[in-house]
Amino acid sequence: MRLADLALLVRAPAALSVPGDVIAGAVAAGRPLGARTFGVIGSSVCLYWAGMALNDYADAAVDGVERPDRPVPSGRVPRRTALAVAGGLTAAGLGLSAVAGGRRSVCAALPLAGLVWAYDLKLKSTAAGGFAMAGARMLDVVAGAVVPGSGAQPAGVALRRAAVPAAVVGAHTGTLMALSRHEIGGAPVRVPAATLAVSAVTALAAAVPVARSDSGSAGPGRLSSAAPSRQVAQFPAPLKGVAAAARLGELCAAPSEGLRAAAFARFRAPASEGLRAVVSGGLRVPAAEGLRVAASEKLRAVVFGRSGTVSAGTLPAVVAAGAALAYLGAYGSAQVRALREPSAGNVRRAVGAGILGLMPLQAALIARGGSPRVAAALGVVHPLARRLARRISPT
């Protein structure tokens, strides 16, 4: 077996989307980045690769028809070898979590490994499959938040602070899972319409600034994930925005004006006025660009306000908004193309864009948590990951 075939088996470049989950959780919890955090990143990458290898083991028969060029159906990697690789990487991931973070990290890694194996072997073709994968990504964020050591928060505090980043990452993963079910035969128009709506609100939730904390252990100059600032009073809670986005799925079966009217009516309910303005304003724009354009305009307004200027104190918010706009530019644009022509090829490209498009979303969450330099570094890695993905497909 060649190393190149092994890289194809585990879809190696796609693992670049994993570190940002862990870092977003650590930053949200006020955890300084150090050796323990990087050890947990290594654990999550191993578990991610294990899931990819196990996926090809479980789907060998289906891939023989739909993707005969994959390493297992083509015979370049024996099926039993794929299973062995999955088992070895799972053991390595659990071992790294134990070394890096002890019991606290193992308590996150064990259910993560369980979800990965349950999804690939049983849940993938069921309605629970999407929830399993979203849960796995959310556990990556939690794993970063609960890393022990100097400066670490009590587990309860860490989990509370990581709730918003975990929910945002979970919502994004849900859109990927909805699209990925239609990579072979194409999708009904309502599917990319729904995922685009969720992605627009997810980007807004990721870029919502949070108030500076003068007390607590987040440290001086750090941002607290617990309290939104007065700049975004129109978004009472970012998590409510993510939850509201999930309800848009039922609205997206209606095209154009029907969708706009339905969405406007839905957001007359006691949901966020800010979200309602985004949806009603954006859908006045012809075609599917409406949601993406409206979300981009709202992001700029949230950060710059009426003055249109940037101060040193708003740097995290500026970086977060820029990263969220990059997310919409990469993943949102791909979904717009899939909405206009929901062919298998366009849906597959949207899934690929979404896998690596998670990186600017993570950067937005990291900047939002008060680490704009780390977020900028992650933003630099994103185009490199996209180049690698041209050689080794992440899907």
Side-chain angles (χ1 to χ4, degrees):
M1 180 177 63
R2 297 183 307 163
L3 188 61
D5 292 328
L6 181 60
L8 285 169
L9 177 71
V10 299
R11 298 163 178 84
L16 290 172
S17 69
V18 174
D21 288 342
V22 178
I23 296 172
V27 168
R31 176 77 173 88
L33 301 183
R36 288 180 180 270
T37 303
F38 288 108
V40 170
I41 288 173
S43 167
S44 290
V45 167
C46 285
L47 293 176
Y48 184 91
W49 280 340
M52 291 298 183
L54 187 64
N55 175 79
D56 278 21
Y57 165 81
D59 284 358
V62 175
D63 285 346
V65 176
E66 297 179 348
R67 298 184 177 186
D69 58 331
R70 291 290 304 160
V72 171
S74 68
R76 301 195 309 274
V77 176
R79 188 166 179 248
R80 63 180 180 276
T81 301
L83 180 61
V85 168
L89 286 168
T90 300
L94 294 176
L96 273 173
S97 70
V99 171
R103 184 175 61 183
R104 280 174 57 148
S105 292
V106 170
C107 284
L110 271 176
L112 173 56
L115 280 176
V116 167
W117 281 73
Y119 171 80
D120 282 330
L121 298 180
K122 186 69 176 177
L123 300 178
K124 183 186 303 183
S125 58
T126 72
F131 294 100
M133 286 309 297
R137 279 291 190 174
M138 293 171 74
L139 282 170
D140 273 336
V141 178
V142 168
V146 300
V147 175
S150 175
Q153 300 289 334
V157 175
L159 290 172
R160 186 172 69 251
R161 290 187 173 184
V164 170
V168 168
V169 169
H172 168 82
T173 306
T175 67
L176 279 177
M177 298 309 299
L179 288 169
S180 68
R181 292 179 178 273
H182 304 279
E183 287 184 276
I184 304 301
V189 172
R190 67 177 181 274
V191 174
T195 60
L196 178 61
V198 174
S199 296
V201 182
T202 298
L204 288 170
V208 168
V210 287
R212 291 190 178 277
S213 175
D214 296 324
S215 61
S217 53
R222 297 299 300 272
L223 297 181
S224 165
S225 294
S229 73
R230 58 187 175 82
Q231 289 177 295
V232 287
Q234 60 184 338
F235 293 95
L239 235 106
K240 290 182 181 178
V242 175
R247 295 201 300 268
L248 281 172
E250 65 192 70
L251 304 177
C252 293
S256 193
E257 282 300 314
L259 171 59
R260 175 186 161 199
F264 193 87
R266 167 68 80 181
F267 279 85
R268 285 197 185 103
S272 160
E273 282 296 316
L275 294 177
R276 175 186 151 192
V278 170
V279 175
S280 61
L283 289 169
R284 291 191 190 103
V285 181
E289 284 285 349
L291 270 177
R292 192 170 68 85
V293 171
S296 300
E297 291 173 353
K298 179 58 79 173
L299 283 170
R300 293 189 186 98
V302 164
V303 175
F304 298 109
R306 295 180 181 178
S307 66
T309 61
V310 181
S311 67
T314 62
L315 180 60
V318 171
V319 175
L325 289 170
Y327 167 73
L328 287 175
Y331 187 34
S333 296
Q335 290 176 91
V336 168
R337 287 191 292 271
L339 179 55
R340 289 172 173 167
E341 185 184 343
S343 63
N346 279 342
V347 171
R348 195 156 49 246
R349 281 186 282 273
V351 173
I355 291 173
L356 296 179
L358 177 57
M359 296 175 72
L361 184 66
Q362 294 162 339
L365 292 169
I366 292 166
R368 175 186 182 275
S371 296
R373 291 179 179 83
V374 177
L378 189 63
V380 170
V381 175
H382 179 231
L384 300 177
R386 293 178 66 180
R387 288 184 183 180
L388 285 174
R390 295 191 188 106
R391 298 185 177 184
I392 300 176
S393 173
T395 63

